[in-house]
Amino acid sequence: MSNPAITDWRDCRVWLLGASSGIGAALGSALLQRGARVAFSARNAERLHAAAVGAERALVLPCDAADEDSLRGAWATLLATWGSVDLAIYVAADYRPMRAWSLDLPQARRMIDVNLVAAVAFAHCVVPQLLRQKRGQIAFVASVAGYRGLPKSLIYGPTKAALINFAEALYLDLQPLGIGVRVINPGFVATPLTAANDFAMPALLTPEQAAQATIAGFTGGAFEIHFPKRFTRVMKLLAHLPYRLYFPLVRMLTGAGERSP
């Protein structure tokens, strides 16, 4: 058993939450080019309008993913306009590099709110509609950082691990009912968030490359879409190592121990 494949995007109604920049904006543009109808949501209305400029099939719905009232308002407008949705993708994220000796609680809470709590609120909006329709799909952009603990990912990694786990549980419940659930785990992508990194990012992709890889993933039925394979396969291998091998290898590969205070 697998998710329904999407091979024809014409008139497919897609809601992208987190579509003002990075992967979300690139994905919205690529889907419009394929004939989809795309609802762009994020906090920055100006960037949303820029991403959707000139597209007759675009719907701009500004909202704050971490504000439940704002999120529900955007969802209500989408349903009033379209009546339904075929695919909803949660792309919104917050990332701050953080180590144990620089734990910042307000920033940690913000990452937890945006990366996990808001994703659950997103599902709370979308899933009841998919159940009424008895069709459609929901997807979440997580990260390979959620596979296992990594340096500088003290809070970001756990939020993505929890998001992967949440998507897995949704899949177990919804896939037998004919509703698709996907998790999208990119490696490094050049976005405003990763611009905060002060280390070399192997196999770095552009947002456009990430968008193309995401769309390609939907042509199959797999639960997980991950890319670029040359990097994510290495991360998967590391994730299955016993801790006695994993910890020293990651410290060696990242130089984490050398940057301790």
Side-chain angles (χ1 to χ4, degrees):
M1 300 176 69
S2 62
N3 289 306
I6 304 178
T7 56
D8 186 355
W9 292 94
R10 287 175 296 180
D11 293 323
C12 184
R13 294 161 296 186
V14 183
W15 185 25
L16 296 175
L17 181 51
S20 61
S21 63
I23 297 174
L27 186 56
S29 177
L31 290 175
L32 286 172
Q33 292 172 13
R34 286 164 172 74
R37 296 161 65 185
V38 180
F40 290 76
S41 288
R43 287 183 299 169
N44 193 312
E46 184 177 346
R47 288 182 181 174
L48 289 178
H49 283 286
V53 64
E56 296 180 359
R57 296 181 304 280
L59 181 63
V60 175
L61 300 172
C63 74
D64 184 345
D67 182 325
E68 188 175 349
D69 289 338
S70 176
L71 176 62
R72 290 201 167 276
W75 175 240
T77 301
L78 184 150
L79 286 183
T81 306
W82 284 353
S84 184
V85 67
D86 300 302
L87 171 63
I89 307 179
Y90 189 85
V91 194
D94 190 26
Y95 167 66
R96 309 292 175 89
M98 198 173 293
R99 303 296 295 270
W101 47 85
S102 58
L103 177 59
D104 184 304
L105 192 54
Q107 289 187 357
R109 282 178 173 150
R110 175 65 184 174
M111 279 189 272
I112 293 168
D113 285 344
V114 174
N115 298 349
L116 179 60
V117 178
V120 175
F122 178 77
H124 193 251
C125 288
V126 174
V127 169
Q129 178 64 28
L130 299 183
L131 289 171
R132 285 190 291 269
Q133 298 171 184
K134 298 182 179 180
R135 60 177 180 81
Q137 301 194 41
I138 186 169
F140 304 88
V141 176
S143 169
V144 295
Y147 288 168
R148 212 151 182 183
L150 292 168
K152 295 200 173 183
S153 195
L154 188 67
I155 303 300
Y156 179 78
T159 64
K160 293 302 185 177
L163 184 57
I164 293 170
N165 190 293
F166 177 65
E168 290 170 349
L170 281 180
Y171 179 89
L172 289 170
D173 284 347
L174 298 178
Q175 190 275 337
L177 302 177
I179 296 168
V181 180
R182 316 264 191 160
V183 68
I184 301 158
N185 288 325
F188 291 110
V189 181
T191 69
L193 293 181
T194 58
N197 287 334
D198 60 358
F199 54 86
M201 292 177 279
L204 182 68
L205 298 180
T206 66
E208 291 72 25
Q209 289 172 319
Q212 296 299 328
T214 299
I215 292 171
F218 277 99
T219 64
F223 165 73
E224 184 189 16
I225 300 170
H226 62 95
F227 53 83
K229 296 292 195 299
R230 64 188 185 278
F231 178 68
T232 56
R233 284 172 178 155
V234 172
M235 295 300 294
K236 285 178 176 293
L237 180 62
L238 288 173
H240 287 90
L241 289 177
Y243 289 120
R244 62 184 176 79
L245 298 177
Y246 176 77
F247 289 137
L249 182 57
V250 168
R251 287 194 180 107
M252 180 186 70
L253 291 174
T254 63
E258 298 174 4
R259 292 193 288 269
S260 301

